């Protein structure tokens, strides 16, 4: 009997087949999903970095230009850049962009602060480079004018914005206004093309 068992062999059993060997653990489905989502998270972080880099550049450019205008141009004659068609003339604007609504300074201050909060919340879902640039321009411009509202005369949240770009037959504005307008135009274009901030494209 022992000889027969030796020749025929014992039947394989799951326990016997696995005895003395380590079975590789199956990779959990959650880990697979995390690995698939890792590139998306990395791309999202890069887009957020672009947003804040654009915002910082726009903000510093606006802040530097206003400091220079206040120091060198305010209370002086305008500087002609392209004849009468474009001049630099320092003015204080208590209204919104391009001098509209001077009676609602506090309201425009609250709106600017709300825009900043909305952009910061939207950044968590950001995966589109064009949207990152557009929102960065909006954020930098809003921060630039909000800084004036808070820190310039006549008082906190009522400060007048420094404007100095004066085209002929047009309102006087600053670089923050330009950033806001450019960001808004880009957002309109992206919306018409069906591109969402999260990078998806839809067709209505």
């Amino acid at each position: 009997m022992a000889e027969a068992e030796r020749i025929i062999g014992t039947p394989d059993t799951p326990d016997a087949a696995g005895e003395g060997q380590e079975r590789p653990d199956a990779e959990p489905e959650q880990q697979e999903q995390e690995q698939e989502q890792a590139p998306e998270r990395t791309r999202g972080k890069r887009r957020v970095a672009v947003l804040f880099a654009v915002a910082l550049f726009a903000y510093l450019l606006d802040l530097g230009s206003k400091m220079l205008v206040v120091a060198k141009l305010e209370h002086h004659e305008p500087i002609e850049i392209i004849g009468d068609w474009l001049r630099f003339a320092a003015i204080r604007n208590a209204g919104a962009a391009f001098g509209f609504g001077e009676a609602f300074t506090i309201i425009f201050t609250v709106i600017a602060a709300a825009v900043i909060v909305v952009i910061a919340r939207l950044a968590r879902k950001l995966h589109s480079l064009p949207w990152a640039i557009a929102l960065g321009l909006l954020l930098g411009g809003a921060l630039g004018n909000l800084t004036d509202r808070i820190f310039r005369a006549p008082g906190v949240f009522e400060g007048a914005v420094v404007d100095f770009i004066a085209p002929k037959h047009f309102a006087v504005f600053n670089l923050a206004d330009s950033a806001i307008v450019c960001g808004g135009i880009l957002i309109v274009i992206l919306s018409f093309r069906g591109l969402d901030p999260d990078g998806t494209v839809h067709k209505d």
Side-chain angles (χ1 to χ4, degrees):
M1 184 68 179
E3 183 68 13
E5 289 180 354
R6 184 183 66 78
I7 296 173
I8 298 173
T10 56
D12 293 336
T13 61
D15 293 339
E19 186 177 354
Q21 298 180 2
E22 293 184 0
R23 298 178 59 189
D25 294 330
E27 189 176 31
E29 183 177 351
Q30 183 177 0
Q31 292 183 358
E32 293 180 358
Q33 293 177 352
E34 289 179 354
Q35 289 181 353
E36 293 176 356
Q37 294 174 356
E40 292 295 325
R41 288 197 297 267
T42 301
R43 188 176 68 171
K45 291 179 180 178
R46 290 175 180 174
R47 299 300 182 257
V48 172
V50 170
L51 186 157
F52 287 112
V54 172
L56 181 62
F57 176 77
Y59 175 74
L60 293 179
L61 193 62
D62 175 69
L63 181 63
S65 66
K66 289 174 178 175
M67 293 175 64
L68 186 61
V69 166
V70 171
K72 301 294 184 181
L73 186 58
E74 200 167 36
H75 309 302
H76 291 79
E77 291 294 324
I79 298 175
E80 293 186 353
I81 305 302
I82 308 177
D84 292 337
W85 291 97
L86 179 62
R87 300 186 303 167
F88 287 168
I91 68 168
R92 297 295 182 109
N93 170 26
F98 307 109
F100 298 116
E102 293 187 5
F104 303 98
T105 304
I106 296 180
I107 295 177
F108 292 131
T109 303
V110 173
I111 292 174
V115 168
I116 293 171
V117 172
V118 170
I119 293 175
R121 292 177 61 87
L122 188 60
R124 295 181 299 176
K125 302 179 181 179
L126 188 61
H127 289 83
S128 168
L129 180 59
W131 270 96
I133 296 173
L135 294 177
L137 290 172
L138 282 180
L139 180 59
L143 284 172
N145 283 338
L146 184 61
T147 300
D148 283 357
R149 305 285 188 198
I150 296 175
F151 295 105
R152 296 194 186 277
V156 178
F157 300 118
E158 297 181 352
V161 174
V162 176
D163 289 336
F164 62 95
I165 304 173
K168 188 176 182 179
H169 305 308
F170 196 73
V172 184
F173 58 97
N174 56 41
L175 294 181
D177 297 332
S178 301
I180 292 171
V181 171
C182 291
I185 292 174
L186 183 54
I187 287 175
V188 171
I189 294 173
L190 295 174
S191 299
F192 271 112
R193 297 186 62 180
L195 179 62
D196 291 336
D198 61 2
T200 59
V201 179
H202 67 273
K203 295 182 179 180
D204 295 333

